[in-house]
Amino acid sequence: MKDVYILSIETSCDETSIAIVKNGTQVIALTVLTQMDTHANFGGVVPEIASRMHAENITMVLEETLNKAKMSVNDCDAIAVTYAPGLLGSLLVGIEFAKVLSYVYNKPLIKVNHLIGHIYANKLDNQMQFPCLALIISGGHTELVKMVDDYQFEKLGETEDDAIGESFDKVARVLGLKYPGGPNIEKLAQNGENTYPLPKPVNDNTYNFSYSGLKSSVINLVHNEIQRGNKINKADLACSFQTVAVDELKRKLELALKNTNIKNVIIAGGVSANKYLRQELKDLCKKYNANLNLPEFKYCTDNAAMIGAAAYPLFLKGEFADLDLNAKPTSSIF
Ligand code: KG4
Ligand code: ZN
């Protein structure tokens, strides 16, 4: 079969990213321009600034990607773009750009769900085996999904309140760490110990998660200690929080491993870059004789290569989008 090159675009949050991916697995070129430093000044992503920066930079990101690949848009077989979920203005910049390329170069347009993109990051330079359990852990989502084949999803559970990444970011903020909080909590926790007794979410034997109670208890603890004039050991508190947050994932994944007897696990989304989490989940999967697929660090957080990987099965099925494609800010995979 002829090789398939997909030009893919991701602008759902604060990364402007374009990639060229061959046959859904091989990254020919990837450019990720992050706006992180700009948003860090405000303690989180400012949607209006994010969409303006995407609009300013997207042409340059395309040029850089084509130069790295030594290819032109004409050499590609399709244009893929993230259409959901994400920030409305940010998604629209990517979608309009993709539509123009699709129209001008007469290439089919493929719409990709961002969460499915995170799942398919596991296919880049790697293999995904079915059936598998997929744990999606990002800034906006925490979901446990069963996959029996490409694009065959069955939701087992999701967060009832905050997403795990969101709780890392909010705890980081109360500890005075910069946005995005996850990597900074991880760094601080390396010098700390699990000494603060934080409440664990209730064990309800469902596959649903909860992070709001844990987040609030850290915030309340910090405020109470400040009011009493006590010093907080930030490294110990970061370590204690990270331990309980990861324990919650382990508990639910273990339940699914026991109940389904599935032997393949994949982790997806920005929080999967956390090294402590990666080790803990590796140990858990080993106990159940299950294969754990972890995306490479560079494909854990938002990037367009994962969108190219997720677009490939849709290209093979001929599932193309029309030029009236619109953004869906709150859509899930289902
Ligand atoms: O997948 P992602 O890049 O964007 C969304 O789709 O949300 O995930 C971003 C989230 C942020 O909440 C960030 O703090 C978290 O992933 N994150 C981490 C780490 N790296 C990124 N959380 C914990 N440890 C990390 N090393
Ligand atoms: Zn993401």
Side-chain angles (χ1 to χ4, degrees):
M1 211 184 98
K2 185 184 162 293
D3 288 328
V4 174
Y5 293 87
I6 297 182
L7 180 81
S8 48
I9 300 168
E10 155 65 41
T11 61
S12 67
C13 192
D14 59 343
E15 265 88 32
T16 316
S17 180
I18 299 189
I20 296 176
V21 179
K22 181 179 168 184
N23 300 333
T25 58
Q26 201 185 327
V27 183
I28 303 297
L30 168 65
T31 310
V32 182
L33 185 75
T34 182
Q35 307 170 356
M36 212 178 276
D37 289 346
T38 304
H39 297 293
N41 296 323
F42 303 95
V45 179
V46 183
E48 177 63 24
I49 294 177
S51 45
R52 278 172 193 241
M53 289 183 77
H54 286 309
E56 279 164 21
N57 294 319
I58 196 160
T59 311
M60 185 181 75
V61 172
L62 173 66
E63 258 178 36
E64 193 176 322
T65 309
L66 294 172
N67 286 341
K68 280 182 200 160
K70 298 191 175 58
M71 288 172 72
S72 72
V73 179
N74 257 326
D75 299 325
C76 298
D77 298 284
I79 313 292
V81 64
T82 306
Y83 79 104
L87 302 170
L88 178 66
S90 294
L91 287 167
L92 283 173
V93 175
I95 291 172
E96 293 311 314
F97 196 70
K99 281 186 197 174
V100 170
L101 292 178
S102 161
Y103 183 73
V104 171
Y105 290 91
N106 195 24
K107 305 283 176 189
L109 182 66
I110 304 175
K111 58 172 196 176
V112 175
N113 178 295
H114 181 79
L115 298 180
I116 298 180
H118 275 305
I119 290 177
Y120 277 82
N122 285 280
K123 270 209 169 169
L124 296 169
D125 308 326
N126 220 329
Q127 281 195 333
M128 245 162 79
Q129 283 162 344
F130 301 114
C132 72
L133 294 167
L135 191 56
I136 306 169
I137 41 177
S138 70
H141 293 83
T142 310
E143 294 189 15
L144 184 58
V145 174
K146 180 177 157 185
M147 278 179 84
V148 289
D149 206 342
D150 270 322
Y151 275 81
Q152 305 284 309
F153 306 105
E154 182 192 323
K155 179 156 64 184
L156 299 180
E158 65 186 334
T159 180
E160 286 170 349
D161 37 60
D162 292 356
I164 180 169
E166 189 183 350
S167 72
F168 267 87
D169 293 337
K170 290 193 176 147
V171 165
R173 191 192 284 202
V174 78
L175 293 180
L177 304 172
K178 272 182 99 179
Y179 172 85
N184 292 323
I185 292 268
E186 179 182 359
K187 239 181 262 158
L188 192 59
Q190 279 162 4
N191 304 318
E193 283 178 38
N194 178 12
T195 54
Y196 284 92
L198 298 171
K200 290 186 166 54
V202 187
N203 193 356
D204 58 2
N205 273 324
T206 70
Y207 296 118
N208 290 335
F209 304 86
S210 171
Y211 282 99
S212 155
L214 172 62
K215 171 203 72 184
S216 302
S217 64
V218 176
I219 294 173
N220 291 340
L221 189 148
V222 171
H223 289 161
N224 287 339
E225 293 297 71
I226 289 171
Q227 273 170 4
R228 291 194 189 113
N230 295 337
K231 245 188 122 210
I232 299 156
N233 185 324
K234 289 187 179 180
D236 284 355
L237 189 50
C239 178
S240 307
F241 161 76
Q242 182 175 262
T243 307
V244 179
V246 172
D247 272 354
E248 169 77 341
L249 293 180
K250 276 166 51 186
R251 218 152 50 87
K252 299 301 167 122
L253 183 58
E254 181 159 20
L255 192 64
L257 283 166
K258 270 190 202 159
N259 290 349
T260 64
N261 206 25
I262 290 177
K263 296 292 180 199
N264 297 299
V265 176
I266 62 176
I267 313 293
V271 185
S272 60
N274 186 289
K275 291 192 198 75
Y276 169 74
L277 177 150
R278 290 165 86 97
Q279 190 55 51
E280 289 293 302
L281 296 187
K282 251 184 217 165
D283 294 344
L284 175 68
C285 288
K286 203 168 164 200
K287 183 172 153 197
Y288 286 86
N289 250 331
N291 299 317
L292 177 67
N293 218 345
L294 292 160
E296 273 192 53
F297 282 109
K298 59 182 179 228
Y299 304 136
C300 285
T301 44
D302 292 350
N303 69 86
M306 67 186 199
I307 302 305
Y312 183 65
L314 301 177
F315 178 90
L316 294 183
K317 282 196 277 182
E319 266 186 39
F320 301 125
D322 295 324
L323 286 178
D324 62 359
L325 175 66
N326 206 347
K328 276 203 181 159
T330 55
S331 164
S332 172
I333 324 179
F334 305 94

